[in-house]
Amino acid sequence: MTTTTHPLVTEAHRLADDLLAPSAQRVDQDVVPRSHIEAVRRSGLLGVSAPGESGGAGAPDRVAREVAEILAGACCSTWFVQTQHHTPVRLLAKAEPGLAVRERLLRPLATGELLAGIAYAHVRSHPRVPVRATVERGGVRFDGTVPWYTGWGLNDLMLLAGVTDADEVVFAFADAREQPGLRASAPMRLVALTAARTVSLTLDGLWVPEESVALRTPREEFARVDVPRSTNTSPAVFGLGYAALDLLGAAPAERGAADALRARLDEVRERAYALADHPVPHEHVEERLALRTRAYELRRAATTAAVVAGGGRATSVDSPAQRIAREAVFLLIQGQTATVREAHLAALASV
Ligand SMILES: Cc1cc2nc3c(=O)[nH]c(=O)nc-3n(C[C@H](O)[C@H](O)[C@H](O)COP(=O)(O)OP(=O)(O)OC[C@H]3O[C@@H](n4cnc5c(N)ncnc54)[C@H](O)[C@@H]3O)c2cc1C
């Protein structure tokens, strides 16, 4: 990994080394503790990409990506809860100054006073409309089912999306708690990241005032921006890959194998991030997908090697190698769109 002196990268390492990594095995078998969330709030990392004038750090994307790698490699569950927050922050930062919800929420979100989750991946399942939005009584009413909502009971707000009859996506903020029109399932038990408290939400006439609406955009326009973005490689894939290689390389006999894999992961990372920074997101899509797939292959090699090197011990629930390998299973589908799914399956079919 490249080294950088940005203070938030230093802060991420401190948080990872002092708190997240030492308790990752325990958290994996339980729930992300409130004390972890409080430490993340205090760290300033929640405002990494928020504008400086709103209380954030206004750091470049390369810093946000490095922070994400460090957190994901240390405790994927904690990383996943906090990563949701950055989408609402970016959306509000891009909104018109003066927009009521921007004025009310951008600063508390940027400073970590409030933590937000997201409930919008279902918009990708067009032509199905899992959540319908309807203009009603000077606000918006939401009906339907949000299949996945992470951070329930840990975060304060959710950025919720629904699609209108006119095929427009409405994004609005709501309190992340049970209320009239909003019920949550029990937290799901999953192969990994059960600790991140993912639920599904039943919306039955949840009403939010117009002042809480952050964006209205034609669904086709949403897809035009969303699909290319999902073709980039998530920094968490590199974060888990490096965490696995650290485990592998800790055994002197395996250091050579770890170094060889690390060099290849470094190279893919550099190229993937260069494309993520490319100013036109819908250009070089094939190359982005090829790099994404290659990153998954190398990550798979790294996490598998850590298990193989660990031998029988690696199958114990106390072993970080099996935890990281399970977390990697989750990353296979995180943010998956039809385009990404197709490319990944095609690559797997030709192995
Ligand atoms: C543990 C967990 C937590 C999550 N937390 C959140 C959260 O907090 N907020 C949030 O918004 N999202 C969340 N998600 C959703 C996640 O980001 C992905 O969008 C989601 O997992 C994609 O899988 P899916 O099962 O929902 O959709 P799928 O139904 O599998 O669809 C994925 C994509 O593939 C396409 N597709 C599906 N089947 C086919 C097919 N046969 N042929 C062609 N295309 C197809 C779909 O159109 C869609 O674009 C979470 C997911 C998980 C597993």
Side-chain angles (χ1 to χ4, degrees):
M1 266 191 269
T2 55
T3 50
T4 166
T5 52
H6 193 284
L8 285 184
V9 171
T10 309
E11 181 58 23
H13 276 301
R14 192 197 57 75
L15 195 64
D17 295 345
D18 295 355
L19 183 69
L20 303 187
S23 51
Q25 293 305 122
R26 184 170 46 77
V27 169
D28 171 59
Q29 296 297 313
D30 192 5
V31 65
V32 174
R34 287 230 147 256
S35 49
H36 275 34
I37 300 295
E38 290 312 316
V40 172
R41 285 182 196 268
R42 282 194 307 271
S43 67
L45 296 176
L46 293 175
V48 59
S49 304
E53 63 274 19
S54 304
D61 285 351
R62 102 188 130 69
V63 172
R65 288 192 293 254
E66 192 164 353
V67 166
E69 288 177 0
I70 296 163
L71 299 186
C75 176
C76 203
S77 295
T78 304
W79 162 77
F80 191 51
V81 172
Q82 68 78 48
T83 199
Q84 317 292 329
H85 180 88
H86 301 291
T87 301
V89 167
R90 283 174 190 263
L91 188 140
L92 286 181
K94 273 195 268 159
E96 275 299 303
L99 183 77
V101 72
R102 186 185 197 274
E103 298 306 310
R104 179 163 61 89
L105 292 180
L106 183 53
R107 179 166 288 277
L109 289 172
T111 58
E113 188 188 324
L114 293 175
L115 179 67
I118 51 173
Y120 81 86
H122 50 270
V123 172
R124 296 176 181 145
S125 55
H126 172 79
R128 280 192 309 117
V129 180
V131 176
R132 178 66 75 192
T134 314
V135 174
E136 190 178 284
R137 291 181 287 126
V140 182
R141 174 193 164 117
F142 291 92
D143 293 277
T145 303
V146 173
W148 310 101
Y149 177 75
T150 294
W152 183 253
L154 295 170
N155 48 31
D156 308 294
L157 298 170
M158 70 175 86
L159 178 66
L160 170 65
V163 180
T164 68
D165 280 341
D167 211 24
E168 197 178 49
V169 189
V170 181
F171 287 87
F173 283 88
D175 288 342
R177 57 174 170 77
E178 295 222 332
Q179 53 188 296
L182 169 57
R183 267 181 302 117
S185 72
M188 295 177 203
R189 289 175 50 74
L190 304 160
V191 63
L193 283 81
T194 294
R197 291 184 67 97
T198 299
V199 296
S200 64
L201 302 172
T202 304
L203 306 175
D204 179 15
L206 175 71
W207 183 85
V208 299
E210 186 59 32
E211 299 79 65
S212 295
V213 173
L215 180 68
R216 286 188 160 82
T217 186
R219 194 200 45 77
E220 281 190 1
E221 177 60 22
F222 164 79
R224 203 181 63 78
V225 178
D226 179 59
V227 172
R229 200 173 37 205
S230 70
T231 62
N232 289 318
T233 313
S234 164
V237 173
F238 296 109
L240 282 196
Y242 288 124
L245 293 179
D246 287 346
L247 283 179
L248 184 67
E254 314 305 339
R255 199 160 296 147
D259 288 348
L261 273 169
R262 188 182 301 274
R264 274 179 261 154
L265 201 57
D266 284 347
E267 190 212 324
V268 172
R269 174 183 184 265
E270 194 178 321
R271 291 171 58 203
Y273 287 175
L275 276 183
D277 283 334
H278 187 280
V280 188
H282 52 268
E283 284 181 6
H284 305 289
V285 165
E286 290 305 314
E287 198 183 342
R288 289 174 203 263
L289 287 170
L291 286 165
R292 193 181 198 273
T293 305
R294 180 75 181 133
Y296 275 120
E297 276 171 10
L298 289 168
R299 191 279 306 143
R300 187 178 55 190
T303 52
T304 306
V307 172
V308 172
R313 288 187 323 281
T315 62
S316 157
V317 286
D318 300 327
S319 150
Q322 58 79 32
R323 171 178 54 79
I324 294 171
R326 284 188 289 105
E327 290 168 345
V329 169
F330 162 73
L331 286 189
L332 291 172
I333 52 77
Q334 196 226 343
Q336 177 171 262
T337 59
T339 309
V340 160
R341 181 180 184 278
E342 208 176 289
H344 201 167
L345 284 175
L348 288 170
S350 65
V351 164

